[in-house]
């Protein structure tokens, strides 16, 4: 009789604790803050990161305004462009973390223009008859010249026009980018619709819709100027993991 009473008491206690746990779970704050951006800013390499917090706000359903707790996680220059991707994070009092990023105007860490001008002169063959062919090849070569901040090295660039460079592996756990082809031909003045070459972008965490918004093109090209351009394409997920890098040969006719 005594054991039965103890069993009933323990069962009742367990039921009460279970109810308390359920109530606590559903009443606890499990919603991350929301980071918002307004306006456009410019950032120069070497500046204090506080400049990057201009126009950035964070609001939380429970804690309210968390703008003062926003942190800059990283700044990733986009090679071949005067822009950089800036990633932010903020955490509320319940430990919910929000991350977001935006693209800003960027200066610094780019290849000096003087190097672009001298590079073709060093690669032009000598001799009167072969010189015109060298001139025709220098424009695509200039377009394929990577900046100093680009992770893919010159070894990954094509050695001949129309020959795609080998894919560069991405970060462990990063997104997987699959293309159905590595060449695209457009008329001068046409649109570089690189999206048409993408078969899929997959990640163990982020949705394909989000990953499409994080596509980065690396390389110089001019859709108004006839020539062959080598453009690298990759994706960065919300954890800043980089996908494999593929190379698209863009032919402008």
């Amino acid at each position: 009789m005594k054991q039965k009473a103890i069993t009933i008491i323990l069962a009742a206690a367990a039921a009460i604790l279970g109810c308390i746990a359920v109530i606590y779970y559903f009443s606890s704050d499990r919603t991350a803050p929301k980071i918002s951006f307004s306006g456009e800013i410019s950032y120069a390499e070497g500046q204090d990161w506080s400049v990057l917090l201009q126009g950035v706000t964070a609001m939380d359903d429970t804690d309210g305004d968390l703008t003062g707790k926003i942190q800059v996680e990283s700044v990733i220059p986009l090679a071949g462009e005067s822009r950089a991707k800036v990633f932010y994070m903020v955490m509320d009092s319940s430990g919910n973390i929000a991350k977001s990023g935006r693209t800003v105007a960027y200066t610094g860490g780019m290849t000096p223009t003087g190097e672009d001008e001298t590079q073709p002169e060093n690669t032009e063959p000598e001799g009167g008859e072969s010189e015109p062919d060298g001139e025709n090849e220098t424009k695509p070569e200039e377009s394929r010249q990577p900046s100093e901040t680009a992770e893919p090295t010159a070894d990954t660039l094509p050695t001949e026009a129309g020959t795609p460079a080998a894919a560069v592996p991405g970060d462990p756990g990063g997104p997987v980018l699959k293309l159905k082809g590595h060449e695209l031909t457009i008329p001068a003045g046409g649109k570089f619709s690189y999206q048409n070459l993408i078969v899929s972008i997959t990640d163990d965490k982020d949705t394909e819709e989000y990953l499409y918004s994080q596509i980065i093109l690396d390389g110089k090209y001019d859709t108004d100027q006839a020539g062959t351009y080598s453009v690298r394409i990759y994706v960065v997920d919300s954890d800043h993991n980089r996908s494999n890098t593929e190379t698209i040969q863009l032919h402008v006719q």
Side-chain angles (χ1 to χ4, degrees):
M1 187 69 179
K2 185 177 180 180
Q3 290 182 345
K4 185 176 181 180
I6 294 175
T7 301
I8 294 174
I9 293 173
L10 291 176
I16 293 173
L17 290 175
C19 291
I20 294 175
V22 170
I23 294 173
Y24 176 79
Y25 176 80
F26 284 103
S27 63
S28 62
D29 177 20
R30 294 181 292 116
T31 303
K34 181 179 180 181
I35 299 176
S36 302
F37 305 103
S38 63
E40 298 182 358
I41 64 170
S42 299
Y43 175 74
E45 183 178 3
Q47 280 187 299
D48 191 280
W49 278 9
S50 60
V51 175
L52 298 170
L53 295 174
Q54 297 176 9
V56 188
T57 57
M59 296 297 296
D60 184 71
D61 292 342
T62 302
D63 298 341
D65 190 353
L66 294 178
T67 301
K69 294 187 177 181
I70 298 175
Q71 298 179 14
V72 178
E73 280 200 316
S74 61
V75 179
I76 303 177
L78 306 183
E81 303 180 41
S82 56
R83 300 183 302 156
K85 190 76 174 182
V86 184
F87 293 94
Y88 303 83
M89 70 85 64
V90 65
M91 182 174 66
D92 64 18
S93 60
S94 298
N96 300 308
I97 297 176
K99 294 185 178 183
S100 188
R102 67 171 172 175
T103 301
V104 303
Y106 175 81
T107 56
M110 309 297 288
T111 302
T113 55
E115 291 184 15
D116 288 338
E117 295 173 357
T118 57
Q119 183 69 20
E121 294 179 4
N122 294 333
T123 57
E124 285 184 3
E126 296 181 358
E129 295 182 358
S130 60
E131 186 173 354
D133 293 336
E135 290 179 353
N136 291 335
E137 294 176 358
T138 54
K139 284 189 177 180
E141 197 64 29
E142 284 181 334
S143 302
R144 293 194 296 267
Q145 185 70 22
S147 74
E148 295 177 358
T149 58
E151 291 187 13
T153 64
D155 295 335
T156 66
L157 296 177
T159 55
E160 297 181 4
T163 303
V168 179
D171 297 330
V176 177
L177 171 64
K178 292 184 179 180
L179 303 182
K180 62 182 177 182
H182 292 80
E183 294 193 45
L184 187 65
T185 301
I186 63 173
K191 182 179 179 181
F192 180 20
S193 300
Y194 60 87
Q195 299 93 333
N196 295 338
L197 294 177
I198 299 175
V199 175
S200 64
I201 312 175
T202 56
D203 185 68
D204 58 359
K205 176 181 177 181
D206 297 324
T207 64
E208 188 173 63
E209 180 180 1
Y210 173 82
L211 294 171
Y212 262 88
S213 69
Q214 303 302 310
I215 293 175
I216 296 175
L217 298 179
D218 175 7
K220 298 178 183 178
Y221 61 90
D222 187 349
T223 56
D224 293 323
Q225 178 65 47
T228 298
Y229 303 91
S230 182
V231 183
R232 291 173 293 277
I233 180 173
Y234 60 91
V235 182
V236 178
D237 66 16
S238 59
D239 291 326
H240 307 167
N241 295 317
R242 181 169 172 165
S243 74
N244 52 300
T245 300
E246 302 288 340
T247 300
I248 298 174
Q249 292 293 321
L250 174 63
H251 305 287
V252 181
Q253 298 180 341

